[in-house]
Amino acid sequence: MAKKPSIPKGTRDFSPAEVAKRNYIIQTIKKHFETYGFQPIETPSFENSETLMGKYGDEGDRLIFKILNSGDFISKVDDVTYSSKNSASLTSKISEKALRYDLTVPFARYVVMHQNEIDFPFKRYQIQPVWRADRPQKGRFREFYQCDADVVGADSLLQEVEFVQLYDAVFTDLDLKGATIKINNRKILSGIAEVIGAKDLLVDFTVALDKLDKIGEEKVKVEMMQKGISEKAIAKAQPLFDMTGTAFEQLEKLKTILADSEVGMLGVSELEEIISTVDMIGLQSASLQLDVTLARGLNYYTGAIFEVAAPEGVKMGSIGGGGRYDDLTGIFGLKDVSGVGISFGLDRIYLVLEELNLFPDSLDTTLDVLCLNFGKKEGTAALKLVSGLRKQGLRADLYPTDTKVQKQFKYADKRGVPYVILLGDQELTDGKFVAKNMKTGDQKDYSLDGIEEFSEKVKTEI
RNA sequence: GUGGUUGUAGCUCAGCUGGUUAGAGCGCUGGAUUGUGGUUCCAGAGGUCGCCGGUUCGAACCCGGUCUUCCACCCCA
């Protein structure tokens, strides 16, 4: 007996209704990417391992799905490596390819490989799935979509401002109110680490600081001490734990703390420029918030960093993130190309919209008109009518068999079809058809010679 | 990767200290209704209780393993 089929942990099937909702989000994001001047590219779902490994930190390497070599790969491994039982060194021998982990690193690789064909500054967007060998949770999958927009080859801070506006434009269009775009600057974090004399512990410091609103001040300090940051240094960083007030008030406090740090002050002035410009232009439905505890793990960020939190009350990790990276292409041999970009987490935005019931009802309608089938002669006439309606741009279909009318009606009802057409023997001889509005129950006759009248009526109701 | 949690009909879930033939609601199929769906009424189908093994006269229930779900870490979209 056949075993029940299953799909791997952290993956999902999508039903027609789910695909419709996902497409709605994708189309919305795509539309705004394009109105902001981004061009689409696509890259392979798997890359050479060396392209990906080491770009996301040790933790990231662990989460990259490795693809086994083809052929009799194990026989090519030397005995020393084989018997060492060291996963890392064995993996490099038996796996040369890996599934992409995000879209930013493959994009950097793309820019370097195509540098001679690209007109800089280059604004590209990319909507494709990525894979992570993470342990699944709600809103966390092993296969999920990222929707990225990046611009490389220019270092103007106006781009950061544009990205904030882009986030706002998409969320406004999706009717998602109250998302918080958190912003910080890596230079500020570097400056702080410098000022308190823990420069080489920057990553540990920021990772701990990032947890402030989650685990509280005391536990953050404990973690910092465990990582080897001195009590004195932590005491110096105390003002960070007491950050309150508006973004501008916080910036003033940072200026005092970071007075002796060149990078730190640069970070403050960058943030000040971005925030004040956004403030001047204004946002529609999202809000921009300075958050000095925002760290983001990815090591390649060098300037502004973004993270988008779902509206208050929705329990969901960040639904977007991004930042500026001054030298991502440097790893692949192309120096001095600054980039900045953002990402939308499609799957999480989906869950948020679902929870807040923000998907438009129209997504449920996948067919505008269903024509019932009354037999061979009537069916042929109906097919002619249906293809006429299709030419008018309506989503129209003919029930394929002449089963009981009751059954055909039930099908129409379940599909959520707004109009059902009846074209039987009597109608045929009269040269007309009957259209029934499934919502109101009203029925009306139309001439078979003038289907435009009917199709126009349907179109105005969609 | 660490600790915990979950799995019974298509879906949401009951199922007592281990004891005959494992239940409900919704959904599904058919009929009441041979040219009119949703409402109502009637009937029916559908389950090796996630999987493998163990304990027992006997296991959905106890034990071990495994897969899956969700949660907290880690990290992140």
Side-chain angles (χ1 to χ4, degrees):
Chain A
M1 188 171 160
K3 220 177 128 189
K4 269 187 189 171
S6 63
I7 55 174
K9 176 172 23 183
T11 65
R12 299 145 297 156
D13 284 328
F14 299 113
S15 66
E18 288 165 334
V19 171
K21 290 175 183 171
R22 289 169 67 85
N23 282 343
Y24 160 72
I25 300 173
I26 290 171
Q27 292 311 324
T28 304
I29 292 173
K30 207 183 228 180
K31 183 176 92 192
H32 291 282
F33 279 174
E34 289 179 359
T35 56
Y36 273 70
F38 292 90
Q39 295 175 281
I41 68 160
E42 290 189 17
T43 63
S45 47
F46 55 96
E47 296 269 351
N48 292 324
S49 297
E50 60 202 39
T51 303
L52 305 180
M53 298 297 281
K55 308 299 189 297
Y56 312 100
D58 293 342
E59 191 65 27
D61 283 356
R62 205 195 80 211
L63 298 175
I64 292 173
F65 273 109
K66 286 94 183 170
I67 298 173
L68 230 38
N69 289 346
S70 315
D72 189 10
F73 53 85
I74 208 82
S75 70
K76 293 171 187 160
V77 180
D78 61 277
D79 291 345
V80 178
T81 309
Y82 188 77
S83 54
S84 72
K85 294 202 172 177
N86 180 310
S87 299
S89 61
L90 183 61
T91 301
S92 66
K93 293 265 165 49
I94 62 174
S95 163
E96 293 163 348
K97 299 174 287 299
L99 290 176
R100 72 169 159 247
Y101 178 87
D102 73 354
L103 301 177
T104 308
V105 168
F107 172 54
R109 192 224 79 222
Y110 177 94
V111 169
V112 174
M113 281 182 69
H114 301 272
Q115 50 185 290
N116 295 325
E117 321 151 16
I118 294 172
D119 299 315
F120 293 99
F122 181 43
K123 298 175 83 170
R124 77 87 231 225
Y125 76 86
Q126 196 172 348
I127 299 174
Q128 289 190 279
V130 302
W131 294 269
R132 295 184 187 178
D134 217 341
R135 191 173 285 204
Q137 282 181 34
K138 200 178 203 84
R140 172 182 281 195
F141 309 99
R142 298 185 120 180
E143 176 182 63
F144 62 98
Y145 270 72
Q146 287 193 333
C147 314
D148 275 31
D150 290 77
V151 40
V152 291
D155 52 15
S156 162
L157 290 175
L158 285 178
Q159 294 169 147
E160 273 86 338
V161 174
E162 275 203 298
F163 279 122
V164 173
Q165 289 184 286
L166 178 52
Y167 267 135
D168 184 53
V170 169
F171 294 141
T172 301
D173 208 1
L174 292 173
D175 202 27
L176 180 65
K177 300 180 187 77
T180 307
I181 304 165
K182 292 191 263 182
I183 187 171
N184 194 13
N185 194 301
R186 204 68 188 224
K187 295 190 178 86
I188 289 177
L189 295 170
S190 306
I192 291 163
E194 192 180 304
V195 166
I196 65 170
K199 211 170 171 178
D200 46 340
L201 293 167
L202 172 63
V203 173
D204 290 328
F205 180 81
T206 54
V207 166
L209 187 62
D210 194 33
K211 295 176 191 163
L212 183 58
D213 53 346
K214 207 169 178 181
I215 62 176
E217 186 177 330
E218 289 313 310
K219 284 183 181 168
V220 168
K221 286 178 178 171
V222 169
E223 183 170 328
M224 285 178 174
M225 281 194 275
Q226 280 168 352
K227 295 287 183 184
I229 298 165
S230 72
E231 207 161 332
K232 214 171 132 194
I234 295 170
K236 263 192 181 167
Q238 182 59 39
L240 287 180
F241 295 101
D242 308 321
M243 277 291 173
T244 50
T246 66
F248 295 108
E249 286 165 6
Q250 291 189 43
L251 285 169
E252 288 310 312
K253 279 185 199 166
L254 285 171
K255 281 180 192 166
T256 332
I257 303 167
L258 296 168
D260 295 333
S261 164
E262 204 181 316
V263 266
M265 289 306 279
L266 186 58
V268 172
S269 76
E270 282 182 14
L271 263 187
E272 197 164 28
E273 190 177 334
I274 296 165
I275 293 173
S276 60
T277 312
V278 170
D279 197 52
M280 202 178 71
I281 299 172
L283 295 176
Q284 301 169 81
S285 57
S287 61
L288 183 66
Q289 193 180 84
L290 172 60
D291 182 356
V292 286
T293 69
L294 175 63
R296 289 189 62 74
L298 299 179
N299 335 20
Y300 49 67
Y301 291 119
T302 52
I305 41 185
F306 300 106
E307 190 162 297
V308 184
E312 216 162 319
V314 182
K315 221 179 149 202
M316 182 63 63
S318 60
I319 56 175
R324 177 169 294 271
Y325 40 91
D326 282 328
D327 199 29
L328 189 54
T329 57
I331 323 161
F332 301 118
L334 180 63
K335 296 278 178 210
D336 301 320
V337 178
S338 182
V340 56
I342 57 168
S343 180
F344 289 84
L346 168 65
D347 303 83
R348 287 187 178 175
I349 291 172
Y350 180 102
L351 292 170
V352 171
L353 294 188
E354 190 76 288
E355 187 169 335
L356 297 175
N357 219 338
L358 292 177
F359 285 109
D361 294 338
S362 63
L363 294 178
D364 295 334
T365 305
T366 52
L367 190 63
D368 301 317
V369 180
L370 180 75
C371 189
L372 302 195
N373 191 326
F374 288 98
K376 193 159 177 22
K377 187 183 58 168
E378 295 90 335
T380 311
L383 193 56
K384 197 181 160 201
L385 173 60
V386 163
S387 54
L389 293 171
R390 287 171 176 163
K391 281 183 191 135
Q392 302 279 322
L394 289 184
R395 295 171 294 182
D397 209 355
L398 169 67
Y399 197 89
T401 56
D402 60 344
T403 47
K404 277 204 273 188
V405 173
Q406 188 185 194
K407 195 174 174 182
Q408 298 188 43
F409 260 106
K410 254 184 181 160
Y411 176 79
D413 188 51
K414 269 184 261 180
R415 279 286 303 267
V417 184
Y419 277 95
V420 165
I421 284 179
L422 296 94
L423 181 57
D425 190 44
Q426 191 58 51
E427 285 83 5
L428 212 46
T429 50
D430 294 350
K432 59 168 194 177
F433 64 89
V434 176
K436 173 167 177 163
N437 182 322
M438 292 295 277
K439 215 173 199 169
T440 62
D442 296 342
Q443 290 188 186
K444 202 183 161 197
D445 291 359
Y446 292 90
S447 165
L448 276 169
D449 299 325
I451 61 170
E452 289 83 3
E453 189 197 346
F454 171 68
S455 67
E456 286 311 314
K457 181 179 161 60
V458 175
K459 278 185 206 166
T460 58
E461 290 177 16
I462 299 169

